[in-house]
């Protein structure tokens, strides 16, 4: 955690909303990204991200030391689990809507719009396939894979964010990678291995 | 496709992230050289990881910053730092003051109770004497000369001093005995206050004055009727000397209890405030 983060956290603990908003601006991309990859739906992801920051501000007095990002992602991950459980109860999944051709496709959420059209289409198809592959993973494995390979968190931060041991993180990550590799390979979306 | 164990899978996954030790990495390199299937597996995992890492970041549809007007903590007057403590301490200080005041009043009423009994006794005695005098007006001057007007107590002596001396020199011409006892002329409480204002030395000096000798015999009962007047006054004097000590002890004890209550109250208020704050944040 940087010095600026520490100052913002201290000010936020004193009730400074503007200081907390500095933290929001710093982490809203990661929080929303995690929620979007976990849920596959931009509206649900936005709701989760907003709820995450509101909950974090209310509970910031409980944050002591360590990675603020990990603490924030832990709140976001739990919020995602809640949404997924609610979706299961309603027997509707946003991923089904996305695969059925809903306008809210993951490709439209990405920032890089400067690629040539054909490359853009390929990337969009690949990204949709990756998102669909992520949706096939168990929730705990999905969260670990997103945090590690997409968002680049270290094992220790992932362990803190998921409230698990390092060994559990390694194990979940290994299984998630193997499953997603199989999923993409079955759809011939994985580049040919060269060795 | 080569089937690899879960342990080998974890080893490959850790190798992707550079989490292996030097010895583990050397061992894996040897396995990869001798096992093509394992090498392909490792290459596929590396490709997939590259795909994930190359995913463009997701753009949030809007900002998630909080509105200060909506989310700024509403610091109530009671929960704000120093005002809460000032309020708590002020309330307990007020309680302490009021409690001590009430205690003092209660103690005063308790110490005044014997006096009121004495006064009622004295009033009864005076009333009976007045009745006797009115019933036997002729005998009164004679009785007063011998002892009816002889004041056994210093306050009576003080009241009788101006006229008593003159009466003695006038050979028994005594002032009307009913005058100092008259219910309306001199209030009994006033006489008691005047008597209390005299120190024992002054009382002794007054008693030793020749002018007062015929009138004042502090330790002698001059008549059977005065017995009732002497005893309560002496008790009252003893009570006045003894009473202050227990009162002081009681006051200090109450002060101690109120101090303990103050500390406990402040601690309780702090605990409740802290609990409420945590509960509100949760």
């Amino acid at each position: 955690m940087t010095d600026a983060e520490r100052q913002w956290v201290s000010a936020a603990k004193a009730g400074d909303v503007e200081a907390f908003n500095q933290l929001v601006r710093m982490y809203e991309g990661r929080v929303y990204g995690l929620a979007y990859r976990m849920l596959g739906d931009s509206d649900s992801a936005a709701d989760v991200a907003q709820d995450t920051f509101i909950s974090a501000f209310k509970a910031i007095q409980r944050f002591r030391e360590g990675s603020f990002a990990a603490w924030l992602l832990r709140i976001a991950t739990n919020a995602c689990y809640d949404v997924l459980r609610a979706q299961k109860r309603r027997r509707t999944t946003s991923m089904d809507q996305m695969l059925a051709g809903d306008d809210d496709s993951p490709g439209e959420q990405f920032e890089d719009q400067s690629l040539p059209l054909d490359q853009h289409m390929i990337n969009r198809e690949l990204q949709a396939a990756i998102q669909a592959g992520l949706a096939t993973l168990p929730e705990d494995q999905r969260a670990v894979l997103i945090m590690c390979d997409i968002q680049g968190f270290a094992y220790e931060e992932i362990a803190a964010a998921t409230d698990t041991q390092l060994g559990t993180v390694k194990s979940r990550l290994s299984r998630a990678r193997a499953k997603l590799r199989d999923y993409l390979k079955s759809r011939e979306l994985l580049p040919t291995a060269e060795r | 496709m080569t089937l690899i164990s879960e342990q080998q899978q974890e080893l490959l996954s850790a190798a992707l992230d550079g989490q292996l030790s030097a010895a583990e990495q050397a061992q894996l390199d040897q396995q990869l050289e001798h096992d093509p299937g394992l090498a392909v597996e490792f290459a596929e995992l590396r490709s997939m990881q590259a795909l994930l890492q190359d995913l463009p970041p997701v753009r949030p549809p809007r900002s998630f910053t909080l509105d200060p007007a909506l989310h700024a903590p509403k610091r109530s007057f009671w929960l704000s730092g120093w005002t809460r403590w000032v309020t708590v301490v002020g309330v307990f200080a007020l309680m302490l003051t009021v409690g001590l005041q009430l205690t003092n009043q209660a103690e005063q009423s308790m110490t005044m109770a014997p006096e009121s009994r004495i006064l009622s006794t004295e009033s009864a005695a005076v009333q009976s004497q007045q009745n006797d005098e009115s019933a036997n007006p002729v005998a009164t001057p004679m009785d007063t000369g011998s002892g009816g007007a002889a004041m056994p107590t210093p306050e009576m002596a003080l009241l009788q001093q101006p006229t008593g001396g003159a009466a003695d020199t006038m050979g028994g011409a005594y002032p009307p005995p009913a005058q100092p006892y008259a219910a309306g002329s001199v209030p009994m409480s006033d006489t008691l206050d005047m008597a209390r204002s005299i120190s024992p030395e002054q009382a002794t000096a007054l008693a030793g004055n020749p002018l007062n000798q015929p009138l004042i015999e502090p330790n002698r009962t001059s008549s059977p009727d005065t017995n009732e007047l002497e005893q309560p006054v002496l008790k009252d004097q003893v009570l006045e000397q003894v009473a202050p000590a227990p009162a002081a002890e009681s006051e200090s004890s109450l002060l101690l209890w109120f101090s303990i209550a103050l500390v406990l109250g402040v601690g309780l208020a702090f605990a409740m405030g802290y609990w409420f704050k945590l509960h509100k944040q949760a």
Side-chain angles (χ1 to χ4, degrees):
Chain A
M1 199 161 66
T2 64
D3 290 341
E5 278 182 89
R6 286 194 187 89
Q7 289 178 357
W8 289 332
V9 168
S10 298
K13 283 183 177 180
D16 188 346
V17 180
E18 206 47 55
F20 184 78
N21 281 339
Q22 296 287 342
L23 295 166
V24 173
R25 292 184 191 99
M26 177 177 277
Y27 289 112
E28 63 185 355
R30 288 186 178 188
V31 169
Y32 176 77
L34 172 67
Y36 183 82
R37 298 293 182 191
M38 286 290 293
L39 304 173
D41 174 52
S42 61
D43 292 337
S44 299
D47 290 344
V48 163
Q50 189 68 77
D51 291 345
T52 296
F53 288 117
I54 292 173
S55 300
F57 183 68
K58 287 180 179 176
I60 198 166
Q61 298 287 347
R62 296 183 204 164
F63 174 71
R64 299 295 179 213
E65 285 297 327
S67 170
F68 183 76
W71 182 74
L72 205 56
L73 288 181
R74 185 174 177 178
I75 298 173
T77 305
N78 289 331
C80 288
Y81 289 162
D82 291 341
V83 171
L84 289 169
R85 276 193 288 270
Q87 286 178 349
K88 282 181 182 175
R89 281 197 295 270
R90 290 196 303 265
R91 295 178 179 277
T92 59
T93 60
S94 57
M95 189 56 66
D96 292 340
Q97 296 172 359
M98 181 192 74
L99 292 176
D102 192 355
D103 289 339
D104 189 21
S105 60
E108 302 203 355
Q109 301 292 324
F110 301 140
E111 287 181 339
D112 192 0
Q113 305 289 338
S114 61
L115 293 173
L117 185 58
D118 56 343
Q119 187 64 42
H120 180 72
M121 293 303 292
I122 293 173
N123 281 347
R124 186 172 176 178
E125 185 183 358
L126 181 61
Q127 289 161 8
I130 291 173
Q131 187 63 48
L134 286 173
T136 64
L137 301 177
E139 295 163 6
D140 53 352
Q141 295 179 15
R142 195 188 317 168
V144 169
L145 185 63
I146 292 168
M147 288 186 212
C148 184
D149 283 348
I150 298 178
Q151 300 197 319
F153 283 102
Y155 282 9
E156 289 79 9
E157 287 179 304
I158 297 170
T162 55
D163 196 21
T164 53
Q165 301 295 321
L166 270 180
T168 306
V169 171
K170 292 177 182 176
S171 174
R172 287 179 181 174
L173 187 58
S174 168
R175 292 175 189 171
R177 281 171 171 165
K179 286 180 183 174
L180 186 60
R181 188 269 323 271
D182 292 343
Y183 179 87
L184 295 176
K185 193 175 178 180
S186 68
R187 283 156 180 78
E188 299 179 349
L189 292 171
L190 203 61
T192 307
E194 297 174 0
R195 184 173 172 90
Chain B
M1 180 177 172
T2 307
L3 289 177
I4 61 172
S5 67
E6 192 166 334
Q7 188 178 2
Q8 284 178 312
Q9 193 77 50
E10 285 191 21
L11 200 65
L12 293 178
S13 179
L16 285 177
D17 299 322
Q19 295 289 321
L20 295 181
S21 64
E24 288 173 330
Q25 187 65 50
Q27 186 181 1
L28 179 63
D29 288 341
Q30 280 189 347
Q31 290 179 357
L32 291 173
E33 282 184 11
H34 295 94
D35 189 346
L38 189 65
V40 169
E41 185 93 7
F42 185 62
E44 288 173 350
L45 287 173
R46 181 176 285 170
S47 299
M48 188 205 64
Q49 187 189 38
L51 278 179
L52 294 177
Q53 289 174 343
D54 289 342
L55 282 175
V58 181
R59 184 180 64 249
R62 57 185 168 87
S63 173
F64 300 114
T65 53
L66 306 186
D67 184 1
L70 293 175
H71 296 95
K74 295 178 180 60
R75 299 175 71 86
S76 69
F77 178 79
W78 294 104
L79 285 178
S80 61
W82 64 272
T83 51
R84 176 178 55 188
W85 293 114
V86 167
T87 305
V88 169
V89 172
V91 165
F92 278 98
L94 183 65
M95 288 174 59
L96 181 67
T97 307
V98 171
L100 283 177
Q101 189 66 28
L102 291 174
T103 307
N104 286 338
Q105 286 181 359
E107 287 179 351
Q108 282 178 2
S109 64
M110 288 176 66
T111 54
M112 287 297 288
E115 287 183 4
S116 61
R117 285 198 301 271
I118 293 166
L119 289 175
S120 62
T121 309
E122 287 177 346
S123 300
V126 168
Q127 188 64 36
S128 64
Q129 188 175 3
Q130 286 177 346
N131 291 339
D132 292 341
E133 287 171 0
S134 61
N136 191 8
V138 179
T140 301
M142 295 174 66
D143 292 339
T144 54
S146 61
M151 299 296 102
T153 57
E155 65 262 30
M156 293 302 189
L158 181 67
L159 288 172
Q160 290 294 338
Q161 186 178 359
T163 54
D168 189 44
T169 54
M170 290 170 70
Y174 223 66
Q179 189 173 357
Y181 298 102
S185 60
V186 180
M188 192 58 73
S189 60
D190 290 346
T191 59
L192 286 172
D193 292 338
M194 292 168 67
R196 286 193 194 100
S197 65
I198 299 173
S199 64
E201 291 79 12
Q202 288 174 324
T204 307
L206 287 171
N209 190 334
L211 294 175
N212 294 326
Q213 281 305 317
L215 301 175
I216 301 172
E217 287 292 330
N219 295 325
R220 185 175 64 87
T221 303
S222 52
S223 75
D225 290 338
T226 58
N227 235 349
E228 296 179 9
L229 293 173
E230 288 173 359
Q231 300 302 327
V233 175
L234 288 174
K235 285 178 183 174
D236 184 38
Q237 290 172 343
V238 171
L239 278 174
E240 280 188 348
Q241 292 172 356
V242 175
E249 287 179 9
S250 175
E251 189 171 335
S252 62
S253 174
L254 279 169
L255 188 62
L256 176 65
W257 279 110
F258 272 107
S259 300
I260 293 171
L262 178 66
V263 171
L264 290 177
V266 169
L268 185 63
F270 176 81
M272 288 180 67
Y274 188 68
W275 176 85
F276 183 72
K277 202 173 179 181
L278 285 181
H279 184 71
K280 197 176 178 184
Q281 286 169 354

